[in-house]
Amino acid sequence: MLTVNRESKVSLTQQVYEQIRDGIFEQKFSEGEKLPSTRELASSLGISRNVCLEAFDRLIAEGYLDVKPRSGTYIAKGITFQREQEQPRPVFPTKGSNLPKDVIDFRAANPAMDHFPRNTWGRLSKEVCRDTPEAAFAYSGSEGVKKLREVLSQYLLKIRGVRCHADQIIITSGATQALYMISKLIADRNDQFIAVEDPVTDEMRQIFSLAGAEVHPVPADEGGIIPESLPLHRKPSFLFVIPSHQFPLGGTLSIQRRVKLMEYSRKMDTYIVEDDYDSEFTYEGVPVHSIQGLNPERVLYVGTFSKILSPALRIGYAVLPPHLVGRFRELKWYTDRHTSSLEQLVLARFIEEGYLDRHVRHMKKIYKKRRETLTESLREHFPDAKIIGQAAGMHLVVEFPQVVFSKEIKELLCETGVLVYPVEDYSLNKGVHQHKVVLGYGSLTEKRIEEGVKRLSEGLQKYM
Ligand SMILES: Cc1ncc(COP(=O)(O)O)c(C=O)c1O
């Protein structure tokens, strides 16, 4: 019943082993059935007896075969089982599936991958591998590498006005993990709720729901969250805000509104979770400092290296009030032990040796140029359109008074080869932002941006 293929790259021993093992699962052999002796099998297959002995030994060691002395080799008992009838299961569409080939995607997610500092990162990785003491290759503390936390606390104070000791920082696998763990820690029951800016990123909203809490929308306008609309009937577990560069509307929260948020959190005895994901890139004026600096006891600050460097690194962090650090550290340990120490060490050197500052300066020029290209192209093709949002980050919002961005229009535009993101998709309260779309430009070259706006114009002409 067995065969061998001498042309195959798979060894003869492996072929015999696999055929018997698979034959058992496919019920070609039954339990207790006697197999031919290795001598008989070898001669029928025209191979050496050693090959058969080796394959049998492995099957015996793994429990598939039993040897009965002076009797022979048998298929072991208790190893066959009825396989489940395979049911056709629905295949869930994944993000980005079924997109037409050369589509220009204005998704505000990725930074400029074409400018990742590959050479420097590669050199520093090599240096870390060569110089780092052996202990760094073992498990390390769940809070993350001390060196990185120390370097980061200085960097955050200087650049973002974040006031913290290195021990208050926990390195996470991106802001995503930090936000999920914060929700798990302080809002994991369905009788709790989180107040979020509306509109807000769909992903962050889903993260909060996944952790167990209800999500309560608080309207935001072009200046960010509207403090007068904060819920007073019930205390939220926390209030989620992106005060430096609101996503998607792109506003920067004024100091007056910031003070109102502080008063609210004190009055309701609750926390504020501040997401500060792209504010290093400000193209006009000076970047406004974090709200964490106003009240480090009540604000949990979340940052990431996904936009400033690359999301592929999966390095983010949470800056916590000291009384939350222990529980967060424990949760991180049971989630994934810790984020890669080696990548953290490389990043620490990258910051310490001044490469991050240099990279940010370089990228600011690139993104500023990409933003200008986008705004100029928009003005050329759509003189009536209004550009919304602070000149910062890697996206902007455009309002087209004539257009309602329905699902159909989005699809029509996709057929024209351009993907845009209606603000309504990010809104909890529907109907407020129907004329607005988010256009991310961080990962698109100037040529692609111009072409994308041209396609947008062609697509919308078909509609109007
Ligand atoms: C609002 C917001 N914060 C943070 C992030 C970064 O997430 P991560 O650090 O997990 O890549 C994103 C990603 O797109 C985002 O939209």
Side-chain angles (χ1 to χ4, degrees), residues 52-64:
C52 296
L53 277 170
E54 218 179 299
F56 272 41
D57 280 350
R58 209 171 135 194
L59 289 160
I60 292 162
E62 290 175 13
Y64 292 106

Side-chain angles (χ1 to χ4, degrees), residues 72-86:
T73 307
Y74 296 81
I75 303 293
K77 295 242 162 73
I79 57 168
T80 53
F81 62 96
Q82 201 66 39
R83 292 218 167 179
E84 269 184 66
Q85 199 73 38
E86 295 251 326

Side-chain angles (χ1 to χ4, degrees), residues 173-176 201 203-204 242 247 275 277 304 306-307 314:
S173 299
T176 303
T201 65
E203 284 158 359
M204 297 307 156
I242 313 181
F247 189 92
D275 182 351
Y277 67 105
T304 179
S306 289
K307 311 290 161 171
R314 305 311 306 136

